Amino acid sequence: MKIVLASASERRQELLGRLIENFDIIVSDFDESKVPFEGSIDKYVKDVALGKALDVKNKVNEDAVIISADTIVTLGEKILGKPKNEEDAFNIIKSLQGRKHLVYSGIVVINTSKNIIKQESLATEVTFSEINDAEILEYIKTGEPLDKAGAYGIQGIGGIFVKEIKGCYYNVVGLPLNKLKLMLEEVKVN
């Protein structure tokens, strides 16, 4: 059966390649801004992932298993998206330094032939070490934080700021492999 990843993320594509040898990529055109945030981050990431998966399901004309995910970084009740510019990246990283924050991923797997939809979410606690302003500015110069939720990539240079994590590392990267493996088994994909 055809397996489709509903993501343009190179990180997600690389991670899925560790579980599944052959899969197609169809990028979702789902407008995430249409998903209302109603106080539950867990529900929000699952709803966004579901929107992406259903959008791609409508583009596939054959039986398939569709995989989608959405990952966000939160500090308290605040969602830290991708920075708007370098100043925003600086402020986001500054707010994280020396503190704990949570990274949430919503994952959806749809088996179109069996009409099964599985939705899950996962949170990982990440603690940053103390970081001085010069270190933050040097990191921003690399360009890495500018397209990352929370303004850092744990799998890249930003990993040097991570003092500790509690939970799934791959969740912070953007695709929790163990959770996804179990979901695929539930929808009968080996």
Side-chain angles (χ1 to χ4, degrees):
M1 185 179 315
K2 181 177 191 159
I3 296 180
V4 177
L5 176 64
S7 178
S9 164
E10 290 179 14
R11 291 174 305 285
R12 287 195 181 113
Q13 293 168 21
E14 178 203 332
L15 290 174
L16 184 59
R18 296 178 187 188
L19 276 181
I20 297 168
E21 203 170 302
N22 296 310
F23 60 90
D24 292 342
I25 297 160
I26 300 176
V27 179
S28 168
D29 298 317
F30 179 70
D31 181 0
E32 296 176 26
S33 68
K34 289 183 176 179
V35 177
F37 178 69
E38 298 164 339
S40 168
I41 294 167
D42 178 68
K43 180 180 180 334
Y44 177 76
V45 292
K46 286 194 282 191
D47 288 349
V48 172
L50 180 61
K52 291 177 182 180
L54 292 174
D55 178 71
V56 168
K57 179 180 182 258
N58 291 332
K59 297 176 181 179
V60 176
N61 298 324
E62 59 190 288
D63 286 343
V65 171
I66 298 161
I67 300 165
S68 71
D70 186 61
T71 302
I72 61 170
V73 177
T74 64
L75 183 61
E77 297 300 310
K78 187 176 180 188
I79 294 174
L80 303 176
K82 293 179 183 178
K84 297 176 202 73
N85 52 40
E86 290 184 357
E87 181 183 353
D88 193 29
F90 180 88
N91 292 332
I92 290 171
I93 296 168
K94 186 87 171 159
S95 74
L96 295 174
Q97 65 99 22
R99 300 176 71 185
K100 293 178 180 171
H101 62 277
L102 291 173
V103 178
Y104 287 84
S105 287
I107 314 155
V108 171
V109 176
I110 299 176
N111 183 329
T112 63
S113 72
K114 297 186 172 156
N115 204 22
I116 300 172
I117 298 176
K118 289 279 180 193
Q119 284 182 280
E120 296 280 345
S121 70
L122 196 65
T124 301
E125 183 182 271
V126 180
T127 305
F128 266 27
S129 60
E130 296 290 333
I131 312 165
N132 65 46
D133 290 359
E135 289 174 303
I136 297 172
L137 291 170
E138 281 299 310
Y139 179 51
I140 291 169
K141 280 184 196 172
T142 69
E144 184 180 271
L146 298 177
D147 72 337
K148 308 274 188 293
Y152 76 96
I154 194 170
Q155 73 285 357
I157 301 163
I160 65 172
F161 303 135
V162 176
K163 180 178 176 181
E164 179 180 31
I165 74 167
K166 291 183 181 168
C168 176
Y169 167 81
Y170 293 110
N171 183 50
V172 184
V173 179
L175 192 65
L177 290 178
N178 184 262
K179 173 75 76 181
L180 177 58
K181 178 183 176 294
L182 296 173
M183 291 173 73
L184 288 168
E185 288 168 358
E186 287 177 28
V187 300
K188 310 293 185 241
V189 177
N190 296 326

